[in-house]
Amino acid sequence: MEDKLVIVSSDSHAGVPKELWPQYLDERFHALIPNLHEDNYIYPTAIYLLGSKNGSSSLPEHAEAHRVDYHGLHDAVLRLADMDREGITAELIYHGDFRLGDMFHNVTGREYSLDAWEAGAHGWNRWAADNFGFAMDRFLVTAAIGPCVDMDATVAELDWIADHNFAGTYGPGYMWHREMPPLFDEYWEPFWSACEERGIAVVVHAGFGTEHGSVFPQLERIYNDVAKAAGTTDYDALFAHADAVPVEAMEFFSNFLNHNVDSRRPMWQLMLGGVFDRHPDLKLLLTEIRLDWIPATLRHLDAVYEERRADLPAKRKPSEYWPTNCLAGASFIHKAEVEMRHEIGVETILFGRDFPHPEGTWPNTKDFLRLAFAGVPEDEARLMLGENAIRFLDLDRERLADIAKRIGPRIEDVIAGGTDVRPELLANFDTRGGFLKPPEGEAKLPMVDELLQKDLAGVGVKV
C-alpha cells in the first residue's frame, strides 16, 4: 500500500460542555457557575458583534460549518470523523473556544480568584483525559495551566498529565498575575525539570502574556454599549445595532490580536536566561503566533548575545537553540512563510489547522494545503506537515503511518498545486487567516527590543 502523507496539526481546540462544569469543577466554586454562564454568554456575543462591526463575511459552507458542525470541539467521536475527512492523522489540542468558554483559566475570562483559576485548569485537564483518553495517539492533548503559586502542586499536576499521556502543557504565564516571576527566574526550575524529565512540551499559544482579567472588560463594554443602543438584549436586536461597538474596543482587539509581541517573549527568556542550557532536552512549541518574524528576531537576539555574552547566562547564540529546542506551530501557514521555510528552518515548522476557529483552515484544509504547499519538494512538505512533530514530540510513527494509510492524502495531491481551487475560496483564506499577507520581517523589532531590555536587566545585564 502506498505511503500516505502523515499530517500532524500543531493547533486545534476543545472545550468542556457547560452542562459538565459542575462535574469537573471543585464544589467550592459551584456558587460561581451562574456567573460563569453569564460571562460565557457575553464573551461569544461580543466576539460576533465585533466581527459584524468589522464587516467580516464568510463563504456559505464556511458559515454553515461554524453554525452547526463545530461539535468536534467537545465530542471526540465527531472530531475523529472530521479529522479523517480532512486527512489529519493527529493534532495538538488546546483549550479555548468562544462557543463554550472556559472555567476561569483563560485570558478571555473575567477576573476571579487564583484558587478558582487553579480549579478551572484542573477541571479542564480531567475532562480532557476522560474525553480524549481513548485515542491519545491521535489526540495530542495539551494541559491547561493554573497560576502556579504552589510549585509542589504544579509539579504534581505535571506528573498527573504525563501519567495520562498528555503531549504538553501551556507554559506558565499564558495568563499571568502580578506575582509571577519571569521564566528565567529560579522559581521555575522545578517546572522545567519536570517537563524535561517527563517529556512534556511547553506550549506558547497566541494570547500568551495576557494579564488575568484584562480582556473581559472590553468584551463586556462591547456587549453593554450595543445593548444600550438596541434598548434590549434580544440577540437579533443586538446584531441590528452592531455599529454601536465602540471604536476603542475595536482598537484594543486589533492590538491584542495583531500587534503585540508578548507571545514571543518566552523564547528569548528561555534562550538568553540559560534555561535551555540547564535543561537541554526541554521542548518549546510556539503556535499561532506566526513565523515570519522569527529570522529577523533571531538575528537581532544573536547580535545582542554577541555584544553581551560575558554578562548573560546563555552559553550559545539564540539561533543555535532554535533548531535544537524549538518548533514553530504554523497555524494556517501563510504563503510567504512557506517561501521563507529555509530561512526559518524546514525542520522547525509544523502546519496547524486551528480547528474549529473561524480564522483557521477548517473545513477546507485539503484545499488550503494544496495552495500553501504547491511546488514544495516532497521531503520538505512531509517534514512541515507531520514528520517534525513526530520527531519533536517523540510520537509513534509506525502507528501514525498505519492511520495515514486509511485517511491521509497522497503527497502528490498536496504538492502538485491547487490550480482547481475556487478563486473565492482562496480569497476567503486570505480574509480569514491572512494567507497572502507579506512577511513581517523587522517591522516589530522596536517592540521586541522594549521587552528585551527589561529581560536583560532581569538577568543582571546592565542596560
Side-chain angles (χ1 to χ4, degrees), residues 86 152 247 328 391 429:
E86 292 222 296
D152 288 340
V247 172
R391 181 196 73 252
F429 284 141

Side-chain angles (χ1 to χ4, degrees), residues 184-361:
F184 48 73
D185 192 277
E186 64 178 9
Y187 177 80
W188 299 111
E189 284 301 297
F191 189 99
W192 308 133
S193 293
C195 290
E196 182 180 36
E197 291 166 9
R198 300 304 305 269
I200 302 168
V202 177
V203 173
V204 172
H205 191 277
F208 187 99
T210 302
E211 185 175 3
H212 182 206
S214 64
V215 174
F216 190 82
Q218 296 294 332
L219 296 167
E220 194 169 35
R221 180 181 181 186
I222 291 171
Y223 182 84
N224 289 339
D225 282 10
V226 174
K228 182 178 180 180
T232 177
T233 57
D234 175 78
Y235 201 75
D236 291 337
L238 290 175
F239 282 89
H241 291 80
D243 283 346
V245 171
V247 172
E248 294 83 0
M250 294 179 65
E251 292 174 350
F252 174 88
F253 282 101
S254 177
N255 289 329
F256 178 67
L257 295 171
N258 302 313
H259 300 294
N260 76 76
V261 297
D262 291 349
S263 297
R264 308 173 188 186
R265 197 174 191 179
M267 182 185 78
W268 69 71
Q269 286 191 347
L270 297 181
M271 290 173 171
L272 295 176
V275 176
F276 286 138
D277 294 303
R278 297 190 293 275
H279 305 280
D281 294 324
L282 186 65
K283 302 169 184 176
L284 178 68
L285 171 61
L286 308 175
T287 188
E288 204 174 338
I289 58 175
R290 305 267 43 94
L291 313 185
D292 52 3
W293 56 273
I294 292 170
T297 300
L298 287 176
R299 287 193 293 270
H300 182 66
L301 294 175
D302 279 357
V304 170
Y305 174 77
E306 293 294 355
E307 181 181 356
R308 310 278 188 156
R309 64 188 307 167
D311 302 318
L312 285 166
K315 297 178 181 178
R316 295 192 287 163
K317 294 189 297 184
S319 62
E320 294 174 349
Y321 298 113
W322 177 250
T324 60
N325 297 88
C326 303
L327 186 66
S331 300
F332 41 93
I333 192 168
H334 293 172
K335 187 66 173 175
E337 292 169 332
V338 176
E339 294 167 354
M340 293 174 65
R341 63 189 182 277
H342 295 120
E343 190 179 2
I344 298 165
V346 173
E347 294 187 348
T348 66
I349 296 170
L350 182 63
F351 163 79
R353 66 174 185 147
D354 199 21
F355 170 88
H357 286 179
E359 66 270 26
T361 68

Side-chain angles (χ1 to χ4, degrees), residues 73-92:
L73 180 67
H74 59 86
D75 187 315
V77 174
L78 291 179
R79 180 185 286 253
L80 277 179
D82 183 84
M83 291 169 65
D84 288 357
R85 182 188 62 82
E86 292 222 296
I88 306 298
T89 309
E91 63 185 356
L92 283 125

Side-chain angles (χ1 to χ4, degrees), residues 93-240:
I93 296 176
Y94 316 122
H95 68 73
D97 186 275
F98 60 94
R99 282 157 288 210
L100 291 181
D102 286 298
M103 299 181 293
F104 314 123
H105 60 87
N106 203 354
V107 297
T108 49
R110 189 188 298 274
E111 183 175 0
Y112 289 90
S113 71
L114 298 186
D115 286 343
W117 169 2
E118 178 79 25
H122 185 277
W124 191 92
N125 293 342
R126 270 64 189 167
W127 170 81
D130 289 346
N131 196 53
F132 297 115
F134 70 94
M136 296 295 258
D137 51 350
R138 300 193 67 183
F139 299 135
L140 309 177
V141 181
T142 297
I145 192 167
C148 303
V149 294
D150 181 336
M151 187 52 67
D152 288 340
T154 299
V155 170
E157 185 72 354
L158 292 174
D159 284 332
W160 187 92
I161 67 170
D163 290 342
H164 288 79
N165 299 312
F166 281 47
T169 179
Y170 267 38
Y174 168 68
M175 183 166 69
W176 68 275
H177 56 87
R178 295 184 182 274
E179 301 304 315
M180 190 171 281
L183 298 185
F184 48 73
D185 192 277
E186 64 178 9
Y187 177 80
W188 299 111
E189 284 301 297
F191 189 99
W192 308 133
S193 293
C195 290
E196 182 180 36
E197 291 166 9
R198 300 304 305 269
I200 302 168
V202 177
V203 173
V204 172
H205 191 277
F208 187 99
T210 302
E211 185 175 3
H212 182 206
S214 64
V215 174
F216 190 82
Q218 296 294 332
L219 296 167
E220 194 169 35
R221 180 181 181 186
I222 291 171
Y223 182 84
N224 289 339
D225 282 10
V226 174
K228 182 178 180 180
T232 177
T233 57
D234 175 78
Y235 201 75
D236 291 337
L238 290 175
F239 282 89

Side-chain angles (χ1 to χ4, degrees), residues 48 60-75 78 82 98-99 355-356 362-363:
Y48 283 128
E61 71 265 30
H62 186 241
E64 180 71 3
H66 284 274
R67 188 177 69 85
V68 300
D69 290 336
Y70 69 90
H71 296 286
L73 180 67
H74 59 86
D75 187 315
L78 291 179
D82 183 84
F98 60 94
R99 282 157 288 210
F355 170 88
W362 178 80

